[in-house]
Amino acid sequence: MTAANFDEIAPGYDASRGGTARAAGFAEQLAPLLDPARPVLDIGVGTGIVAAELTTRGYTVFGVDLSPGMLARAQARLGARVAVGDAGRLPVRSGSVDQAVSTWLLHAGPDNRAVLAEAARVLRPGGRYLVIPAGGTRPADDVGVLVGALEDRLDPEGSRRDGPEWLAPIAAARGLVYEGTASERPTSFQVTPRAMAESLTRGLFTGAWAVGGEATALVDETRARLLALPDPDAPRVREAADVVLVFTRKT
């Protein structure tokens, strides 16, 4: 997914993924694993919604993201503590970071090898990189079933690209030790079939996929099936599970 894709979806990004309530939940998971006396680097800070929640809890968070459209929202929340930068080529000195986080980054198209290599480079020995993956547990409501089937058709590896089985060996080869899953938090949020269909139209869930030709037809088919669900304007409660993966820079 390119910066231009994220620029386009920035206005509706937060609402499509659980809004402030879910971001607060992410912050609650991350906070016990972070040292409040030391700055935090948010790699792929996006709109800054999670970083802002950490800030309200007493953490100083700096953010880097490739999308100016997303960063405009992050700057409104974090001020001058954000910068445009590629997660695979961080504008950060080597060995200068004690702790870093990423929320829903590694599934979205970046080169995970480059991102993990950069995280290892900027972290001090013993520093932590905390990752909240998007894979997790898929919502099993009628909307989730249709969108999950579409994801499997367009991006068969997407559901595991940011999982520990995929990331741990990549991280190990670049100086990061996978320490395991630190927490798992059940969560829920609401979405209507119509809103999800509109999200697919705007690319909110398809930006990382090569949509065109047959893929475009599959997206259109899924949109039609969403709108054909009973009561398409009635919110569905989506149940999921959010986890934190812990990586430590080798000493």
Side-chain angles (χ1 to χ4, degrees), residues 72-235:
R73 288 161 174 77
Q75 187 174 29
R77 289 171 164 139
L78 303 174
R81 298 195 306 276
V82 298
V84 176
D86 188 334
R89 291 181 295 176
L90 291 170
V92 179
R93 293 194 310 274
S94 297
S96 64
V97 175
D98 288 297
Q99 48 195 0
V101 301
S102 287
T103 303
W104 286 25
L105 169 69
L106 297 177
H107 73 292
D111 180 347
N112 287 348
R113 292 166 177 79
V115 175
L116 290 168
E118 280 295 271
R121 179 184 66 80
V122 302
L123 284 171
R124 295 189 176 99
R128 275 182 161 184
Y129 181 35
L130 308 178
V131 174
I132 297 181
T137 302
R138 282 181 172 174
D141 60 284
D142 52 1
V143 172
V145 168
L146 290 176
V147 174
L150 177 63
E151 290 175 342
D152 288 341
R153 292 288 298 277
L154 296 183
D155 188 10
E157 294 180 342
S159 62
R160 65 188 184 95
R161 188 179 292 120
D162 63 351
E165 298 83 3
W166 182 283
L167 296 177
I170 298 173
R174 287 152 182 83
L176 293 174
V177 177
Y178 174 57
E179 304 287 0
T181 299
S183 67
E184 182 170 341
R185 181 183 67 95
T187 187
S188 64
F189 57 101
Q190 295 185 348
V191 67
T192 69
R194 191 178 305 280
M196 182 60 72
E198 293 174 356
S199 294
L200 291 178
T201 301
R202 296 196 304 272
L204 281 172
F205 288 84
T206 61
W209 305 333
V211 178
E214 181 183 0
T216 297
L218 289 172
V219 172
D220 290 343
E221 177 186 341
T222 301
R223 290 185 62 254
R225 294 181 68 185
L226 285 166
L227 294 173
L229 289 173
D231 299 319
D233 293 309

